[in-house]
Amino acid sequence: MERYSLFGLLKHALHHHEDWPRAWRDAEPRSSYDVVIVGGGGHGLATAYYLAKVHGISDVAVVEKGWLGGGNTGRNTTIVRSNYLRDEAAWLYDFALELWPDLSRELNFNVMFSPRGVLNLGHTLQEMRDIERRVNANRLNGIDGEVLSPAELEARVPLLNCSASARYPVLGASWQPRGGVARHDAVAWGYARAADALGVDLIQQTPVTGIRVEDGRVAGVETDRGLIAARKVACVVAGHSGVLAAMAGLRLPIESRPLQALVSEPLKPCLDTVVMSNAVHCYISQADKGDLVIGAGADGYTGYGQRGSFHIIEHSLAAVCELFPAFSRVRMNRQWGGIVDICPDACPIIGKTPVGGLYFNCGWGTGGFKSTPGSGYVFADTIAHDRPHPLAAPFALSRFERGALIDEHGAAGVAH
């Protein structure tokens, strides 16, 4: 194809970027659609793509209040893994992980997935018992994982402080080789372009101001550009899920909190895997362009601010310097916060609501990015058939009434 040829590169290089073709149409909203998806992040765009690609439902609009991928998708630390403890969560996340390696070819867009492996450190005997339990549970589910000793860790990550006199002595770690990182923006752009090519309308800068319900069934969404009627409405808005649910008269069992992250100045390649620690509540990896991507914890209060709190940043950077003394002089370039929605059991809500034709995909807490392809796939299947996909069924909203919670605080507690 021309875009991969030398002639194609030269042709586009000689033209100003304003003459380049758009990656997707800037669609004007029509009066009605079969399905309206509220939220133009990775999960919403993936849902639209799989509705069109797998189920042949292309009369779909994705309505985004800002720009595509401008919410939590563009504000996360890009980690991908599936080593969750509970069967239901492990199956769902591993289904997503199986989709990642082929996603660039599927979308014809390089999402820069890098399976560099993920380490979860253990600093106490209890943490090591939990790590061994989780690795064994993963293996029973056919998910890769092993327990590493401090000596094996030191050989794999030479910069990691494995000294017995360290403030946070490292007693070992779990290791998932298939885990890694991906480019968050590219995931949103790839799904957006692919969905647009299948006929999906992508509508940006259009806030949803209300959800119209008639006789117990959804009728469409109110926006600042008028009513958009729809037979089905699917909400995928992360930290603002509670706000959208209230528009339909629903109250979801979620809390929205700021989650913080930082990026350093670029360094030469020095860290070729992802290192996470529950005890000190930080995680770190090195991006392809050299900067260190550092994740902190969620603030302990509910809110929608995207700046976060200094004491959280201070704690995380102190922990990073203890784990990696060589990084103590590295300067931070920028810091930001995203708004995450957290369920009581640290697992998502995927599926139908008491309002007919209204669906929610939310509550992914601090680790929604890793599930993007799997989440979109099972949510699209649920919407298309108006019944839960088998992998999504355990995550129904009704589980909170039945008491069938899926406690993943141990595996999700490191904010990833």
Side-chain angles (χ1 to χ4, degrees), residues 242-307:
V243 177
L244 266 290
M247 294 178 183
L250 300 175
R251 184 177 180 183
L252 299 179
I254 58 174
E255 292 182 347
S256 296
R257 300 181 188 174
L259 177 68
Q260 298 178 64
L262 310 94
V263 168
S264 78
E265 61 186 337
L267 308 174
K268 291 183 178 180
C270 59
L271 184 63
D272 62 357
T273 187
V274 179
V275 179
M276 308 171 65
S277 171
N278 276 32
V280 300
H281 222 114
C282 73
Y283 41 101
I284 184 169
S285 63
Q286 187 172 24
D288 292 336
K289 59 184 180 181
D291 46 348
L292 298 175
V293 183
I294 300 170
D299 276 306
Y301 60 87
T302 57
Y304 294 92
Q306 293 182 322
R307 295 183 63 183

Side-chain angles (χ1 to χ4, degrees), residues 118-122 128 131-132 135 139 145-154 156-157 170-176:
V118 175
L119 288 165
N120 291 83
L121 304 181
M128 290 308 302
I131 282 173
E132 291 172 0
V135 168
R139 287 178 172 177
E146 57 183 293
V147 179
L148 301 185
S149 68
E152 292 171 317
L153 269 173
E154 197 166 14
R156 189 175 294 278
V157 188
V170 178
L171 304 185
S174 68
W175 166 246
Q176 185 177 27

Side-chain angles (χ1 to χ4, degrees), residues 44 47 59 104 122 130 147 162 166 182 191 212 254 257 320 331 368 403:
T47 301
D59 187 20
S104 292
D130 292 340
V147 179
C162 293
Y191 274 120
R212 182 169 294 187
I254 58 174
R257 300 181 188 174
V320 167
R331 291 171 292 186

Side-chain angles (χ1 to χ4, degrees), residues 49 82 96 100 103 106 178-179 185 193 206 211 255 292 328 361 364 416:
Y49 169 74
S82 68
W100 277 106
L103 194 57
E106 167 82 14
R178 288 190 302 144
D185 295 324
R193 190 179 72 168
T206 306
I211 297 177
E255 292 182 347
L292 298 175
S328 61
N361 184 344
W364 290 93
H416 239 293

Side-chain angles (χ1 to χ4, degrees), residues 29-100:
R30 302 202 314 266
S31 60
S32 66
Y33 294 88
D34 281 344
V35 180
V36 167
I37 296 171
V38 184
H43 288 234
L45 293 166
T47 301
Y49 169 74
Y50 291 118
L51 274 172
K53 176 69 181 296
V54 178
H55 303 285
I57 302 173
S58 58
D59 187 20
V60 177
V62 176
V63 181
E64 167 57 43
K65 71 173 183 179
W67 63 91
L68 299 181
N72 280 6
T73 297
R75 289 176 167 268
N76 72 87
T77 49
T78 74
I79 297 171
V80 175
R81 64 184 178 93
S82 68
N83 54 348
Y84 280 69
L85 174 63
R86 304 296 177 183
D87 290 350
E88 300 89 345
W91 294 334
L92 178 61
Y93 283 105
D94 205 59
F95 173 69
L97 184 53
E98 289 176 351
L99 296 176
W100 277 106

Side-chain angles (χ1 to χ4, degrees), residues 314-399:
E314 185 179 37
H315 172 81
S316 295
L317 290 181
V320 167
C321 291
E322 288 290 341
L323 294 174
F324 295 93
F327 295 158
S328 61
R329 294 188 178 184
V330 176
R331 291 171 292 186
M332 294 297 110
N333 271 356
R334 58 192 176 91
Q335 172 270 340
W336 68 90
I339 310 305
V340 298
D341 48 340
I342 304 172
C343 286
D345 58 355
C347 278
I349 296 169
I350 312 171
K352 303 168 66 173
T353 71
V355 177
L358 179 63
Y359 308 82
F360 265 82
N361 184 344
C362 62
W364 290 93
T366 56
F369 175 74
K370 68 174 74 70
S371 64
T372 300
S375 165
Y377 191 97
V378 301
F379 197 40
D381 185 87
T382 299
I383 296 165
H385 299 290
D386 195 36
R387 55 96 184 97
H389 183 281
L391 287 174
F395 302 96
L397 178 60
S398 61
R399 78 178 186 271

